[in-house]
Amino acid sequence: MSTGYRIVKKEVYSPVTYMWEVEAPDVAQAAQPGHFLMVRMDEEGERIPLTVADFDRQRGTVTVVIQAVGKSTRQMMRLEAGDRLRDVIGPLGEASHIEPRAKVILVGGGLGVAPVYPQLRAYKSCGSTTLSLLGFRTQALVFWEERFRAYSDELHLATDDGSSGHKGLVSQVLQRLLEQQHRDAQEVVAIGPLPMMQACCEVTRPFGVRTLVSLNAIMVDGTGMCGSCRVTVGGKLRFACVDGPDFDGHQVDFAELLRRQRRFQREERESLQRYEEDCRLTGRTP
Ligand SMILES: Cc1cc2nc3c(=O)[nH]c(=O)nc-3n(C[C@H](O)[C@H](O)[C@H](O)COP(=O)(O)OP(=O)(O)OC[C@H]3O[C@@H](n4cnc5c(N)ncnc54)[C@H](O)[C@@H]3O)c2cc1C
Ligand code: FES
């Protein structure tokens, strides 16, 4: 009998971005927006935290979108539909507290677009007016624009180089939306790289709009025991894996988090180099 969790579908969005739908009926049954999974490719693999980007309870599948940034996520990119993952543990973390809001602005930056999607759908299904703002470096990296359109009252696309939609950073577009016709937004959800989330929080702060961010602190066990994902929120120590990953962005100590995020850079670089060397010697594509 085959063991593990079968990848039922794979889509490649760019040379470094891919999507998997994975058969995991129990996980799909319990998944909510904001949850994440701990995925292990094989017996030797490290645990990789990945946000639930979608779930289908009927089909028993969960969707993740992954950016190949280092050894494990590059190695995982080689798996295809039909292959199996050793472990898919979850759902983990606190689900997002989604309540009906008159108007919500959902901001996704790069890969952060994927975890925003279940939140968008949940806000729409409880009757909120939803504005989506999706930012990418360039048009070639854009994904899920149509998925977002289906649940957005307004959709804005921005690219750093202006190759599609507004030219500029999502935080700049967010500023314009708040200054112009959307001062009445009650909530902003911003998910993406740490500097992007921090910039969005600085934009919303003077407007007094509650802003939720999802903190991708380095996680090891994902269950509150190792302390790796500690963050400071409102001057208090929190563990992103059990108290989050969603937090009030105006309370987050981003400077500390950015520092902590870089603490294994040397080991990560060495691990990737070893992997590339191994691929070179065995004639595999890294
Ligand atoms: C709650 C949460 C949800 C996440 N969701 C997604 C997602 O949906 N899609 C996605 O592509 N990535 C997601 N990430 C980030 C992803 O887990 C890392 O990119 C991955 O672990 C990198 O492993 P690597 O071996 O490929 O790269 P490495 O070379 O090991 O690391 C590259 C960078 O990834 C980060 N990182 C490394 N290890 C971890 C770790 N154990 N936990 C968190 N960050 C780490 C560090 O910033 C590091 O500099 C999420 C992280 C967290 C904490
Ligand atoms: S990952 Fe270990 S405490 Fe959060």
Side-chain angles (χ1 to χ4, degrees), residues 16 18 34-38 46-53 64-76 111 114-115 214-220 228-229 240-241 245 260-265 267-269 271-272:
V16 289
Y18 53 105
H35 278 145
F36 70 96
L37 313 170
M38 275 290 189
E46 61 175 339
R47 297 191 195 99
I48 300 293
L50 298 171
T51 311
V52 174
V64 287
V65 179
I66 307 167
Q67 190 162 19
V69 291
K71 188 234 171 192
S72 297
T73 44
R74 297 254 302 255
Q75 204 173 9
M76 281 155 51
L111 194 84
S214 177
L215 299 185
N216 53 346
I218 293 185
M219 295 187 180
V220 178
S228 168
C229 67
C241 66
R260 284 181 59 74
Q261 205 67 357
R262 291 195 279 263
R263 68 197 195 277
F264 299 118
Q265 259 177 352
E267 291 85 347
E268 288 158 3
R269 204 175 36 248
S271 165
L272 182 58

Side-chain angles (χ1 to χ4, degrees), residues 38-49:
M38 275 290 189
V39 170
R40 207 151 63 106
M41 180 178 155
D42 54 33
E43 203 62 57
E44 286 91 48
E46 61 175 339
R47 297 191 195 99
I48 300 293

